[in-house]
Amino acid sequence: MPRPRKKVTVPPQRPAEITRFDEANSARLGLICVQERIPSDYTRWDHEWTVEDRTARLTCISPSEYGGVPHGLDGDFATTLNLILEQGSPDSGEVNTTAYQLLSKSGFPDSGQYYQALQESLDRLKGATYAASESWRDKRYDRWTTVKFNIIEQIDADTAGGLAFGSGTLLRIRLARPVVQSLRAQYVKPLDMTFVQSLNRSLTRSLYRILDARRYDPVHLSAPVTVLHIPLQQWARECKLLETMPARIKRNLDGAHQELIDRGYLRSVTYEGTRLSTAIVYEFGDVQVNPPAPEPSLQVIADSPLVEALCREGVVLPVARKLVHQYGELHVTTRLEAFQSLLSSGYSPKKRSALLVDVIKDEDGKYTAVVQGLPALTGKLETQTPVGERASRTRKAAGVQSTELDELTERMNSEFSALPRDEQAARALTQVRMFVGRELREHHLRGLMAAMLSGEADPLEVQREVIRAASELRLPEFAQRLRETHEPGNG
């Protein structure tokens, strides 16, 4: 393992200011073991979990002659290849570069030991085979899929007659088709590459990449959360660590945690529970090493589930706080519901967060019909329709009589009830996650989903209750009731 060069210390950027992106599936799934060194017989890992109440699985098998599964610096080079491809996104998935350029873009010096490390890494990335079952997000069709691939499908290297890589080595590398399709479909997440390259250890860089990806909702890739709570052994599996005992997991990650805390990316790392039930809790510094204290008038709002809901739709935290502070929770909740009605009607904005802010701030009646409960009418809107014409239509729709509103509401409820039971439950659970997801554990949500699928709970009523609780500022009570109802052992 080559020694890292001395890094230049830089603070992490605000998420909204990051202009470079990484392919979100690869980052979220953690294809690269975070450990810097592994035994050569560590040639396989398997990880299973639940996604939308289905079992998902990720497997990696890699020949021992390449040094086991991808690990350490392999993550740096794989990320750089994705970034190069993301800038041009050719359909072929081919990256044409040189060994020198690849080292330089990855943040490593022009030296023999790093050329050797690059060559070994590319061999591992080509030799390792991944199988992602019901765990690869296909943004083109908005669904989870199953794919099998090698991160690198082909390597053509012109080493000028020699066997070893050098500064003049020409490389043509073709990346996995699923990765290329994700990049072309813009299924990407922000990546602060300058900050990544400033971190001293490959373990810290690898942990940062998977931790930062884990902060984003895998479907909408909306604003990152500020606190992450994960069972410790599950986290070890996601990081592809060999060790499974809590004390050893902590020991393996302590150095990386401390560097990320010192650099301001993390505010704290704490552990809850005992022995095998231990959970790890990450609190993110998020914006800068010494963030200023929030304004007193916004302190309570900053912890509001409504602010979190806005952030999950892509609104940056300061703007979300300001909107709730300026317009009040009832107004923002109503407008958030109107925004969701627009989306569910089939309307596809260029930027979700910009539309949401516009709906909240609207004082000219552009969205009056939607706010008054007319999502069936907004379903006629098309993305190609000029803004002025859409505004005109919604103003005309605002004149619909209350009896017609009642009929439309009833029709919408009937259409919802006509959906398959699992689709009703999925839609209701999405509403619950958006409003009170932070206040619930996964087992509470799984319990609610099971109750809706079995008929013990009515999805339509669940959806009505969470919206009613939001509009009446009773979300904490609603969340408490869900926790009590769906705590294992109750009922």
Side-chain angles (χ1 to χ4, degrees), residues 215 224-228 267 282-286 308 317 438:
R215 299 177 64 189
V225 299
T226 56
V227 177
L228 195 58
R267 185 167 290 128
Y282 290 103
E283 183 179 359
F284 296 90
D286 207 29
E308 292 290 331
L317 184 58
R438 185 181 176 187

Side-chain angles (χ1 to χ4, degrees), residues 12-28:
Q13 288 181 280
R14 300 170 185 265
E17 295 173 346
I18 299 173
T19 58
R20 303 192 73 176
F21 298 87
D22 192 16
E23 195 275 314
N25 280 303
S26 303
R28 173 178 50 81

